[in-house]
Amino acid sequence: MMTEQFVTANITPLDSLDTLSPYEVAKLQDRNEAGLYPLFRQCALAVLNCGSELDSTKQVLEKHKDFDIKVSQKHRGVQLELINAPASAFVDGEIIQGIREHLFAVLRDLLYVGDEFASQCCDGLEEGGQITNMVFHILRHAKALEPHVKPHLVVCWGGHSINRTEYIYTKQVGYELGLRGMSVCTGCGPGAMKGPMKGATIGHAKQRISDARYVGISEPGIIAAESPNPIVNELIIMPDIEKRLEAFVRLGHGIIVFPGGAGTAEEILYMLGILLHTRNSACPLPLIFTGPAGSEAYFETVDKFIRATLGDRAAGLYDIIVDDPYDVAVKMKAGLERVTAYRKATGESFHFNWQLYIPSELQQPFEPTHENMSALDLSRDQPDYLLAATLRKALSGIVAGNVKAPGIRAIEEFGPFELSGEAELVSELDRLLASFVQQRRMKIDYEEYRPCYRLVEAQTI
């Protein structure tokens, strides 16, 4: 068995973020709980730990407890001193260029959100508008907005713990997208977030497309569990999961969903919560669920859950395509043509979907504490889009309990999250989650998985 190797090195940015103010350096050096250092160290370690099979933030941090990162200013600009960094991030003593870019993208976004955006003017905007404005400014600061370019960016969602057959299928879909000039945006991690990008690189190469985009959008709470994959050439770190999800739908032009677990179901419910709102009835946003032969059980289960909880109207908002990458790409291209025509007709920008209405229940950050999880209203006595938002929060909490450090600590201290509600609704949720466990979709390290939730029928409490 090989001994884990570590490297200590000094690195500087190549062509961006070459200067920081003394105030910004001090913030990154602040090791207090309210300072940026703990968060920056965690995100930097995730970037350097690219390719790891661990999917628990806690396990990553414990494995690399001796890792440290120091920020200093030199006459030529900012410098990072990496101490006991994973050797896999280096080749012949030199840091891999893509990892260098990702490292400074993390630094850029953490500083901008915590400092520069605080001075942005949001006067006159309602709270929802302020959040959307924040998402816009973060994306613009990261140079992720491409004005005057026709819609071509396809968001791909799916699990990081998929099997080999499913992973190969995501590459095949990505290849078909690449042949048709579409770029790919994912959550930036492994599995279904890496496969479409990897396939698209071949399609782009065959078409001699040299400016293809492979956009990865993450957030600090999950980046260590889903380290950025090496194909990502634009990494963006949003402040929380809700702004990460909003960035996907504001920036992307269509969405493809591959098999996954609770996190993928969370993304599906987020999207349905938006599309079910009457204010979005005319706004085209193609949504396709797809997987290879043999993986039908995932989407069959998800489809049954959606029909049983949100109704047939919600089920009519997506297409399910099994084992046909060509058809997925053709339908997505047709969908993007409808998006282009709609935005031309309404005067909407190609690069940011301002017109899409996102209910506040999907924008407000949800903290998955035991108290907040038990207070969720799991009943059908509410509009369908609100029920979708509530179910999204429940699944977000389960993801936190599975892989995020604060959620894992809360489960260890107080036991599983408790979710209660209508008997039939709780029963449907139980069937959905049990199927994820049975299909080994909750975590990469399945043997160690223990449920972080307990479902209770409201009338039996």
Side-chain angles (χ1 to χ4, degrees), residues 17-69:
L17 204 74
D18 55 353
T19 60
L20 291 181
S21 71
Y23 170 73
E24 289 171 322
V25 171
K27 287 185 67 175
L28 289 167
Q29 292 172 335
D30 187 353
R31 296 181 179 239
N32 294 318
E33 189 172 339
L36 269 184
Y37 169 81
L39 187 58
F40 181 46
R41 175 183 177 271
Q42 174 183 319
C43 293
L45 176 58
V47 168
L48 293 162
N49 200 41
C50 175
S52 170
E53 291 300 314
L54 295 177
D55 66 347
S56 163
T57 302
K58 179 187 175 187
Q59 289 179 328
V60 171
L61 294 174
E62 287 179 349
K63 180 179 179 181
H64 299 281
K65 59 182 180 293
D66 294 329
F67 168 72
D68 199 5
I69 184 167

Side-chain angles (χ1 to χ4, degrees), residues 102-173:
H102 290 173
L103 204 55
F104 284 98
V106 166
L107 190 153
R108 173 201 68 208
D109 291 339
L110 292 185
L111 280 176
Y112 183 69
V113 173
D115 182 19
E116 291 188 45
F117 187 79
S119 65
Q120 293 290 340
C121 179
C122 290
D123 293 343
L125 292 177
E126 296 180 354
E127 189 172 12
Q130 292 178 6
I131 292 172
T132 297
N133 192 42
M134 183 179 191
V135 171
F136 172 80
H137 278 278
I138 295 170
L139 293 176
R140 187 174 68 176
H141 185 72
K143 297 181 172 58
L145 303 180
E146 285 190 333
H148 315 303
V149 177
K150 286 185 178 181
H152 71 291
L153 188 61
V154 178
V155 175
C156 293
W157 287 336
H160 63 296
S161 55
I162 58 175
N163 62 46
R164 183 66 183 171
T165 300
E166 291 170 342
Y167 176 69
I168 291 172
Y169 182 78
T170 67
K171 290 199 296 182
Q172 293 169 337
V173 172

Side-chain angles (χ1 to χ4, degrees), residues 10-20 28 40 43-44 47-48 69-72 77-82 95-112 141 235 237:
N10 294 321
I11 66 168
T12 55
L14 290 176
D15 55 5
S16 63
L17 204 74
D18 55 353
T19 60
L20 291 181
L28 289 167
F40 181 46
C43 293
V47 168
L48 293 162
I69 184 167
K70 296 181 179 179
V71 185
S72 60
V78 64
Q79 177 176 281
L80 299 180
E81 182 182 2
L82 307 176
I95 192 165
I96 295 170
Q97 298 291 27
I99 291 178
R100 183 201 298 258
E101 290 176 3
H102 290 173
L103 204 55
F104 284 98
V106 166
L107 190 153
R108 173 201 68 208
D109 291 339
L110 292 185
L111 280 176
Y112 183 69
H141 185 72
L235 177 64
I237 311 299

Side-chain angles (χ1 to χ4, degrees), residues 154 156 173-182 184 204 256 329 332:
V154 178
C156 293
V173 172
Y175 172 70
E176 295 291 344
L177 296 176
L179 285 177
R180 290 162 180 80
M182 289 176 265
V184 178
H204 292 146
I256 295 173
M332 180 53 66

Side-chain angles (χ1 to χ4, degrees), residues 311-332:
D312 290 341
R313 188 168 79 91
L317 295 171
Y318 52 82
D319 293 313
I320 299 178
I321 300 174
V322 177
D323 204 31
D324 195 340
Y326 172 85
D327 194 33
V328 172
V330 169
K331 279 190 167 59
M332 180 53 66

Side-chain angles (χ1 to χ4, degrees), residues 271-346:
M271 195 67 253
L272 293 179
I274 293 173
L275 296 179
L276 284 167
H277 199 283
T278 55
R279 289 177 60 173
N280 296 316
S281 59
C283 185
L285 189 58
L287 177 60
I288 298 173
F289 300 170
T290 190
S295 296
E296 295 91 341
Y298 178 78
F299 288 121
E300 286 174 359
T301 305
V302 170
D303 184 59
K304 287 178 182 176
F305 175 77
I306 291 170
R307 292 178 186 276
T309 57
L310 302 176
D312 290 341
R313 188 168 79 91
L317 295 171
Y318 52 82
D319 293 313
I320 299 178
I321 300 174
V322 177
D323 204 31
D324 195 340
Y326 172 85
D327 194 33
V328 172
V330 169
K331 279 190 167 59
M332 180 53 66
K333 184 178 180 181
L336 296 191
E337 289 171 354
R338 292 193 296 272
V339 170
T340 301
Y342 176 81
R343 295 199 185 184
K344 282 182 177 179
T346 58

